[in-house]
mmCIF file of all heavy atoms in Angstrom:
data_model
loop_
_atom_site.group_PDB
_atom_site.id
_atom_site.type_symbol
_atom_site.label_atom_id
_atom_site.label_comp_id
_atom_site.label_asym_id
_atom_site.label_seq_id
_atom_site.Cartn_x
_atom_site.Cartn_y
_atom_site.Cartn_z
ATOM 1 N N TYR A 1 -14.194 -12.956 19.586
ATOM 2 C CA TYR A 1 -13.856 -11.554 19.941
ATOM 3 C C TYR A 1 -13.238 -10.761 18.911
ATOM 4 O O TYR A 1 -12.662 -11.408 17.898
ATOM 5 C CB TYR A 1 -12.683 -11.691 21.081
ATOM 6 C CG TYR A 1 -13.289 -12.182 22.416
ATOM 7 C CD1 TYR A 1 -14.567 -12.611 22.647
ATOM 8 C CD2 TYR A 1 -12.427 -12.240 23.592
ATOM 9 C CE1 TYR A 1 -15.044 -12.923 23.892
ATOM 10 C CE2 TYR A 1 -12.967 -12.615 24.809
ATOM 11 C CZ TYR A 1 -14.140 -13.021 24.913
ATOM 12 O OH TYR A 1 -14.652 -13.399 26.167
ATOM 13 N N SER A 2 -13.244 -9.568 18.882
ATOM 14 C CA SER A 2 -12.681 -8.673 17.945
ATOM 15 C C SER A 2 -11.309 -8.124 18.425
ATOM 16 O O SER A 2 -11.272 -7.697 19.559
ATOM 17 C CB SER A 2 -13.626 -7.517 17.653
ATOM 18 O OG SER A 2 -13.020 -6.486 16.681
ATOM 19 N N VAL A 3 -10.389 -8.139 17.530
ATOM 20 C CA VAL A 3 -9.113 -7.754 18.002
ATOM 21 C C VAL A 3 -9.051 -6.248 18.497
ATOM 22 O O VAL A 3 -8.522 -5.770 19.361
ATOM 23 C CB VAL A 3 -7.946 -7.875 16.917
ATOM 24 C CG1 VAL A 3 -6.521 -7.295 17.335
ATOM 25 C CG2 VAL A 3 -7.878 -9.440 16.576
ATOM 26 N N PHE A 4 -9.777 -5.403 17.545
ATOM 27 C CA PHE A 4 -9.919 -4.047 17.831
ATOM 28 C C PHE A 4 -11.297 -3.594 17.694
ATOM 29 O O PHE A 4 -12.042 -4.188 16.949
ATOM 30 C CB PHE A 4 -9.011 -3.153 16.940
ATOM 31 C CG PHE A 4 -7.559 -3.460 16.785
ATOM 32 C CD1 PHE A 4 -6.896 -3.883 15.684
ATOM 33 C CD2 PHE A 4 -6.858 -3.320 17.925
ATOM 34 C CE1 PHE A 4 -5.664 -4.219 15.554
ATOM 35 C CE2 PHE A 4 -5.439 -3.606 17.921
ATOM 36 C CZ PHE A 4 -4.879 -4.181 16.697
ATOM 37 N N ASP A 5 -11.686 -2.417 18.277
ATOM 38 C CA ASP A 5 -12.820 -1.771 17.890
ATOM 39 C C ASP A 5 -12.400 -0.756 16.835
ATOM 40 O O ASP A 5 -11.917 0.331 17.116
ATOM 41 C CB ASP A 5 -13.496 -0.962 19.046
ATOM 42 C CG ASP A 5 -14.793 -0.389 18.788
ATOM 43 O OD1 ASP A 5 -15.161 -0.115 17.629
ATOM 44 O OD2 ASP A 5 -15.556 -0.078 19.673
ATOM 45 N N LEU A 6 -12.753 -1.062 15.542
ATOM 46 C CA LEU A 6 -12.391 -0.314 14.446
ATOM 47 C C LEU A 6 -12.855 1.152 14.469
ATOM 48 O O LEU A 6 -12.301 2.156 13.786
ATOM 49 C CB LEU A 6 -12.730 -0.944 13.043
ATOM 50 C CG LEU A 6 -11.920 -2.218 12.758
ATOM 51 C CD1 LEU A 6 -12.404 -2.810 11.481
ATOM 52 C CD2 LEU A 6 -10.409 -1.946 12.834
ATOM 53 N N ARG A 7 -13.914 1.382 15.244
ATOM 54 C CA ARG A 7 -14.346 2.809 15.355
ATOM 55 C C ARG A 7 -13.378 3.643 16.030
ATOM 56 O O ARG A 7 -13.371 4.936 15.749
ATOM 57 C CB ARG A 7 -15.742 2.859 16.117
ATOM 58 C CG ARG A 7 -16.818 2.103 15.476
ATOM 59 C CD ARG A 7 -18.042 2.113 16.350
ATOM 60 N NE ARG A 7 -17.780 1.192 17.503
ATOM 61 C CZ ARG A 7 -18.676 0.840 18.448
ATOM 62 N NH1 ARG A 7 -20.063 1.388 18.340
ATOM 63 N NH2 ARG A 7 -18.333 0.041 19.410
ATOM 64 N N ASP A 8 -12.510 3.169 16.888
ATOM 65 C CA ASP A 8 -11.367 3.891 17.384
ATOM 66 C C ASP A 8 -10.462 4.359 16.362
ATOM 67 O O ASP A 8 -9.508 5.120 16.723
ATOM 68 C CB ASP A 8 -10.720 3.073 18.505
ATOM 69 C CG ASP A 8 -11.635 2.685 19.694
ATOM 70 O OD1 ASP A 8 -12.554 3.408 19.937
ATOM 71 O OD2 ASP A 8 -11.287 1.658 20.292
ATOM 72 N N TYR A 9 -10.451 3.798 15.114
ATOM 73 C CA TYR A 9 -9.538 4.157 14.137
ATOM 74 C C TYR A 9 -10.224 4.812 12.950
ATOM 75 O O TYR A 9 -9.726 4.924 11.850
ATOM 76 C CB TYR A 9 -8.730 2.865 13.577
ATOM 77 C CG TYR A 9 -8.083 2.222 14.674
ATOM 78 C CD1 TYR A 9 -8.628 1.256 15.432
ATOM 79 C CD2 TYR A 9 -6.646 2.529 15.007
ATOM 80 C CE1 TYR A 9 -7.936 0.618 16.513
ATOM 81 C CE2 TYR A 9 -5.933 1.915 15.950
ATOM 82 C CZ TYR A 9 -6.629 0.827 16.787
ATOM 83 O OH TYR A 9 -5.984 0.278 17.722
ATOM 84 N N GLY A 10 -11.431 5.377 13.253
ATOM 85 C CA GLY A 10 -12.280 5.963 12.180
ATOM 86 C C GLY A 10 -12.845 5.065 11.104
ATOM 87 O O GLY A 10 -13.244 5.500 10.055
ATOM 88 N N VAL A 11 -12.898 3.792 11.376
ATOM 89 C CA VAL A 11 -13.494 2.885 10.381
ATOM 90 C C VAL A 11 -14.900 2.437 11.058
ATOM 91 O O VAL A 11 -14.980 1.582 11.870
ATOM 92 C CB VAL A 11 -12.571 1.599 10.185
ATOM 93 C CG1 VAL A 11 -13.316 0.631 9.254
ATOM 94 C CG2 VAL A 11 -11.269 2.038 9.664
ATOM 95 N N TYR A 12 -15.868 2.930 10.548
ATOM 96 C CA TYR A 12 -17.252 2.790 11.143
ATOM 97 C C TYR A 12 -18.116 1.731 10.514
ATOM 98 O O TYR A 12 -19.174 1.499 11.042
ATOM 99 C CB TYR A 12 -18.015 4.132 11.186
ATOM 100 C CG TYR A 12 -17.311 5.268 11.909
ATOM 101 C CD1 TYR A 12 -16.534 6.128 11.255
ATOM 102 C CD2 TYR A 12 -17.321 5.260 13.349
ATOM 103 C CE1 TYR A 12 -15.796 7.168 12.049
ATOM 104 C CE2 TYR A 12 -16.586 6.174 13.978
ATOM 105 C CZ TYR A 12 -15.920 7.149 13.457
ATOM 106 O OH TYR A 12 -15.192 8.117 14.112
ATOM 107 N N ASP A 13 -17.675 1.240 9.350
ATOM 108 C CA ASP A 13 -18.501 0.200 8.741
ATOM 109 C C ASP A 13 -17.807 -1.243 9.129
ATOM 110 O O ASP A 13 -18.466 -2.312 8.707
ATOM 111 C CB ASP A 13 -18.479 0.234 7.203
ATOM 112 C CG ASP A 13 -17.050 0.264 6.586
ATOM 113 O OD1 ASP A 13 -16.135 -0.070 7.295
ATOM 114 O OD2 ASP A 13 -17.004 0.535 5.394
ATOM 115 N N GLY A 14 -16.833 -1.243 9.918
ATOM 116 C CA GLY A 14 -16.390 -2.524 10.556
ATOM 117 C C GLY A 14 -15.481 -3.409 9.575
ATOM 118 O O GLY A 14 -14.987 -4.402 9.993
ATOM 119 N N MET A 15 -15.247 -2.904 8.379
ATOM 120 C CA MET A 15 -14.457 -3.725 7.420
ATOM 121 C C MET A 15 -12.989 -3.494 7.576
ATOM 122 O O MET A 15 -12.523 -2.333 7.428
ATOM 123 C CB MET A 15 -14.917 -3.365 5.932
ATOM 124 C CG MET A 15 -16.239 -3.999 5.518
ATOM 125 S SD MET A 15 -16.555 -3.752 3.704
ATOM 126 C CE MET A 15 -16.958 -2.062 3.614
ATOM 127 N N TYR A 16 -12.319 -4.513 7.890
ATOM 128 C CA TYR A 16 -10.848 -4.610 7.915
ATOM 129 C C TYR A 16 -10.129 -4.802 6.638
ATOM 130 O O TYR A 16 -9.072 -4.351 6.328
ATOM 131 C CB TYR A 16 -10.376 -5.510 8.970
ATOM 132 C CG TYR A 16 -8.904 -5.421 9.375
ATOM 133 C CD1 TYR A 16 -8.413 -4.644 10.352
ATOM 134 C CD2 TYR A 16 -7.918 -6.113 8.519
ATOM 135 C CE1 TYR A 16 -7.032 -4.583 10.675
ATOM 136 C CE2 TYR A 16 -6.570 -6.087 8.897
ATOM 137 C CZ TYR A 16 -6.164 -5.277 9.965
ATOM 138 O OH TYR A 16 -4.856 -5.159 10.182
ATOM 139 N N ALA A 17 -10.826 -5.608 5.825
ATOM 140 C CA ALA A 17 -10.211 -6.044 4.532
ATOM 141 C C ALA A 17 -11.371 -6.668 3.676
ATOM 142 O O ALA A 17 -12.530 -6.653 4.071
ATOM 143 C CB ALA A 17 -9.136 -7.190 4.762
ATOM 144 N N CYS A 18 -10.965 -7.063 2.471
ATOM 145 C CA CYS A 18 -11.881 -7.805 1.533
ATOM 146 C C CYS A 18 -11.214 -9.106 1.165
ATOM 147 O O CYS A 18 -10.059 -9.019 0.844
ATOM 148 C CB CYS A 18 -12.360 -6.916 0.370
ATOM 149 S SG CYS A 18 -13.774 -5.959 0.755
ATOM 150 N N LEU A 19 -11.978 -10.166 0.820
ATOM 151 C CA LEU A 19 -11.379 -11.370 0.470
ATOM 152 C C LEU A 19 -12.009 -11.638 -0.935
ATOM 153 O O LEU A 19 -13.133 -11.473 -1.258
ATOM 154 C CB LEU A 19 -11.849 -12.537 1.390
ATOM 155 C CG LEU A 19 -11.532 -13.974 0.937
ATOM 156 C CD1 LEU A 19 -10.046 -14.159 1.052
ATOM 157 C CD2 LEU A 19 -12.214 -14.967 1.752
ATOM 158 N N THR A 20 -11.148 -12.002 -1.949
ATOM 159 C CA THR A 20 -11.469 -12.164 -3.273
ATOM 160 C C THR A 20 -10.865 -13.582 -3.680
ATOM 161 O O THR A 20 -9.726 -13.746 -3.563
ATOM 162 C CB THR A 20 -10.943 -11.098 -4.153
ATOM 163 O OG1 THR A 20 -11.482 -9.880 -3.831
ATOM 164 C CG2 THR A 20 -11.341 -11.320 -5.620
ATOM 165 N N ILE A 21 -11.734 -14.391 -4.242
ATOM 166 C CA ILE A 21 -11.303 -15.701 -4.883
ATOM 167 C C ILE A 21 -11.839 -15.741 -6.274
ATOM 168 O O ILE A 21 -13.078 -16.099 -6.433
ATOM 169 C CB ILE A 21 -11.775 -16.850 -4.075
ATOM 170 C CG1 ILE A 21 -11.407 -16.719 -2.549
ATOM 171 C CG2 ILE A 21 -11.171 -18.127 -4.540
ATOM 172 C CD1 ILE A 21 -11.898 -17.763 -1.639
ATOM 173 N N PRO A 22 -11.114 -15.441 -7.260
ATOM 174 C CA PRO A 22 -11.561 -15.383 -8.695
ATOM 175 C C PRO A 22 -12.226 -16.631 -9.111
ATOM 176 O O PRO A 22 -13.203 -16.651 -9.828
ATOM 177 C CB PRO A 22 -10.329 -15.073 -9.483
ATOM 178 C CG PRO A 22 -9.406 -14.418 -8.429
ATOM 179 C CD PRO A 22 -9.632 -15.048 -7.236
ATOM 180 N N LYS A 23 -11.723 -17.853 -8.798
ATOM 181 C CA LYS A 23 -12.208 -19.146 -9.321
ATOM 182 C C LYS A 23 -13.640 -19.334 -9.080
ATOM 183 O O LYS A 23 -14.468 -19.872 -9.850
ATOM 184 C CB LYS A 23 -11.387 -20.330 -8.815
ATOM 185 C CG LYS A 23 -11.872 -21.619 -9.417
ATOM 186 C CD LYS A 23 -11.010 -22.764 -8.930
ATOM 187 C CE LYS A 23 -11.485 -24.196 -9.527
ATOM 188 N NZ LYS A 23 -10.694 -25.193 -9.001
ATOM 189 N N ILE A 24 -14.002 -18.948 -7.930
ATOM 190 C CA ILE A 24 -15.494 -19.167 -7.522
ATOM 191 C C ILE A 24 -16.305 -17.907 -7.340
ATOM 192 O O ILE A 24 -17.379 -17.819 -6.803
ATOM 193 C CB ILE A 24 -15.502 -19.920 -6.116
ATOM 194 C CG1 ILE A 24 -14.793 -19.172 -5.003
ATOM 195 C CG2 ILE A 24 -15.007 -21.343 -6.223
ATOM 196 C CD1 ILE A 24 -14.935 -19.669 -3.577
ATOM 197 N N ASP A 25 -15.755 -16.800 -7.977
ATOM 198 C CA ASP A 25 -16.462 -15.471 -8.127
ATOM 199 C C ASP A 25 -16.906 -15.013 -6.695
ATOM 200 O O ASP A 25 -17.994 -14.609 -6.564
ATOM 201 C CB ASP A 25 -17.658 -15.690 -8.995
ATOM 202 C CG ASP A 25 -18.247 -14.274 -9.419
ATOM 203 O OD1 ASP A 25 -17.500 -13.342 -9.470
ATOM 204 O OD2 ASP A 25 -19.370 -14.178 -9.702
ATOM 205 N N LEU A 26 -15.953 -15.026 -5.716
ATOM 206 C CA LEU A 26 -16.221 -14.638 -4.496
ATOM 207 C C LEU A 26 -15.535 -13.295 -4.058
ATOM 208 O O LEU A 26 -14.375 -13.125 -4.223
ATOM 209 C CB LEU A 26 -15.754 -15.729 -3.486
ATOM 210 C CG LEU A 26 -16.054 -15.492 -1.945
ATOM 211 C CD1 LEU A 26 -16.343 -16.776 -1.200
ATOM 212 C CD2 LEU A 26 -14.850 -14.759 -1.318
ATOM 213 N N ARG A 27 -16.450 -12.380 -3.595
ATOM 214 C CA ARG A 27 -15.841 -11.209 -2.922
ATOM 215 C C ARG A 27 -16.570 -10.815 -1.814
ATOM 216 O O ARG A 27 -17.927 -10.660 -1.808
ATOM 217 C CB ARG A 27 -16.033 -10.018 -4.054
ATOM 218 C CG ARG A 27 -15.374 -10.179 -5.366
ATOM 219 C CD ARG A 27 -15.647 -8.902 -6.363
ATOM 220 N NE ARG A 27 -14.934 -7.728 -5.902
ATOM 221 C CZ ARG A 27 -15.317 -6.513 -6.321
ATOM 222 N NH1 ARG A 27 -16.411 -6.362 -7.117
ATOM 223 N NH2 ARG A 27 -14.652 -5.366 -5.854
ATOM 224 N N LEU A 28 -15.921 -10.840 -0.680
ATOM 225 C CA LEU A 28 -16.642 -10.635 0.680
ATOM 226 C C LEU A 28 -15.912 -9.782 1.548
ATOM 227 O O LEU A 28 -14.668 -9.750 1.588
ATOM 228 C CB LEU A 28 -16.760 -11.993 1.286
ATOM 229 C CG LEU A 28 -17.760 -12.971 0.733
ATOM 230 C CD1 LEU A 28 -17.574 -14.428 1.404
ATOM 231 C CD2 LEU A 28 -19.180 -12.562 1.003
ATOM 232 N N PRO A 29 -16.610 -8.942 2.367
ATOM 233 C CA PRO A 29 -15.958 -8.100 3.324
ATOM 234 C C PRO A 29 -15.456 -9.041 4.522
ATOM 235 O O PRO A 29 -16.066 -10.038 4.851
ATOM 236 C CB PRO A 29 -17.110 -7.193 3.885
ATOM 237 C CG PRO A 29 -18.348 -7.889 3.579
ATOM 238 C CD PRO A 29 -18.032 -8.762 2.265
ATOM 239 N N VAL A 30 -14.264 -8.512 5.095
ATOM 240 C CA VAL A 30 -13.698 -9.308 6.294
ATOM 241 C C VAL A 30 -13.972 -8.361 7.458
ATOM 242 O O VAL A 30 -13.430 -7.250 7.484
ATOM 243 C CB VAL A 30 -12.252 -9.599 6.061
ATOM 244 C CG1 VAL A 30 -11.679 -10.193 7.257
ATOM 245 C CG2 VAL A 30 -12.062 -10.459 4.784
ATOM 246 N N TYR A 31 -14.490 -8.827 8.525
ATOM 247 C CA TYR A 31 -14.698 -8.218 9.740
ATOM 248 C C TYR A 31 -13.883 -8.822 10.942
ATOM 249 O O TYR A 31 -13.476 -9.993 10.807
ATOM 250 C CB TYR A 31 -16.245 -8.278 10.194
ATOM 251 C CG TYR A 31 -17.165 -7.633 9.076
ATOM 252 C CD1 TYR A 31 -17.821 -8.446 8.199
ATOM 253 C CD2 TYR A 31 -17.292 -6.351 9.011
ATOM 254 C CE1 TYR A 31 -18.633 -7.911 7.262
ATOM 255 C CE2 TYR A 31 -18.140 -5.650 8.049
ATOM 256 C CZ TYR A 31 -18.746 -6.524 7.209
ATOM 257 O OH TYR A 31 -19.651 -5.979 6.193
ATOM 258 N N LEU A 32 -13.700 -8.072 11.904
ATOM 259 C CA LEU A 32 -12.983 -8.679 13.040
ATOM 260 C C LEU A 32 -13.921 -9.300 14.064
ATOM 261 O O LEU A 32 -14.863 -8.733 14.524
ATOM 262 C CB LEU A 32 -12.154 -7.476 13.753
ATOM 263 C CG LEU A 32 -11.102 -6.797 12.864
ATOM 264 C CD1 LEU A 32 -10.372 -5.697 13.789
ATOM 265 C CD2 LEU A 32 -10.173 -7.679 12.303
ATOM 266 N N GLY A 33 -13.526 -10.561 14.413
ATOM 267 C CA GLY A 33 -14.430 -11.348 15.248
ATOM 268 C C GLY A 33 -15.163 -12.261 14.562
ATOM 269 O O GLY A 33 -15.522 -11.973 13.229
ATOM 270 N N ALA A 34 -15.587 -13.435 14.950
ATOM 271 C CA ALA A 34 -16.385 -14.418 14.292
ATOM 272 C C ALA A 34 -17.554 -14.824 15.014
ATOM 273 O O ALA A 34 -17.929 -16.054 15.110
ATOM 274 C CB ALA A 34 -15.491 -15.632 14.138
ATOM 275 N N ASP A 35 -18.281 -13.848 15.553
ATOM 276 C CA ASP A 35 -19.625 -14.154 16.191
ATOM 277 C C ASP A 35 -20.712 -14.142 15.204
ATOM 278 O O ASP A 35 -20.540 -13.576 14.143
ATOM 279 C CB ASP A 35 -19.867 -13.325 17.439
ATOM 280 C CG ASP A 35 -20.042 -11.811 16.984
ATOM 281 O OD1 ASP A 35 -20.334 -11.489 15.857
ATOM 282 O OD2 ASP A 35 -19.974 -10.898 17.978
ATOM 283 N N ASN A 36 -21.848 -14.585 15.496
ATOM 284 C CA ASN A 36 -22.970 -14.608 14.537
ATOM 285 C C ASN A 36 -23.356 -13.328 14.096
ATOM 286 O O ASN A 36 -23.889 -13.200 12.808
ATOM 287 C CB ASN A 36 -24.132 -15.554 15.209
ATOM 288 C CG ASN A 36 -23.805 -16.975 15.329
ATOM 289 O OD1 ASN A 36 -23.062 -17.468 14.483
ATOM 290 N ND2 ASN A 36 -24.390 -17.633 16.320
ATOM 291 N N SER A 37 -23.362 -12.259 14.839
ATOM 292 C CA SER A 37 -23.867 -10.954 14.411
ATOM 293 C C SER A 37 -22.984 -10.461 13.349
ATOM 294 O O SER A 37 -23.434 -9.695 12.581
ATOM 295 C CB SER A 37 -23.884 -9.991 15.664
ATOM 296 O OG SER A 37 -22.543 -9.794 16.127
ATOM 297 N N ILE A 38 -21.672 -10.815 13.333
ATOM 298 C CA ILE A 38 -20.726 -10.370 12.285
ATOM 299 C C ILE A 38 -20.834 -11.265 11.040
ATOM 300 O O ILE A 38 -20.956 -10.752 9.960
ATOM 301 C CB ILE A 38 -19.332 -10.444 12.851
ATOM 302 C CG1 ILE A 38 -19.244 -9.193 13.773
ATOM 303 C CG2 ILE A 38 -18.357 -10.202 11.651
ATOM 304 C CD1 ILE A 38 -17.840 -9.095 14.491
#
């Protein structure tokens, strides 16, 4: 499940945050909810 529908807050691309891990050169968007479509 998603905690919020971010469109209600003017965030239409669904990104709540970004995760960065320098050691493994990782930069990924963070979305709300953990279903396969996300």
Side-chain angles (χ1 to χ4, degrees):
Y1 288 3
S2 175
V3 177
F4 305 120
D5 184 341
L6 290 180
R7 293 173 296 183
D8 294 337
Y9 302 88
V11 179
Y12 298 101
D13 58 13
M15 283 191 284
Y16 187 92
C18 275
L19 176 70
T20 301
I21 308 179
K23 180 179 179 179
I24 57 176
D25 192 25
L26 181 147
R27 297 180 72 196
L28 288 170
V30 174
Y31 301 100
L32 299 184
D35 66 19
N36 286 328
S37 64
I38 288 175

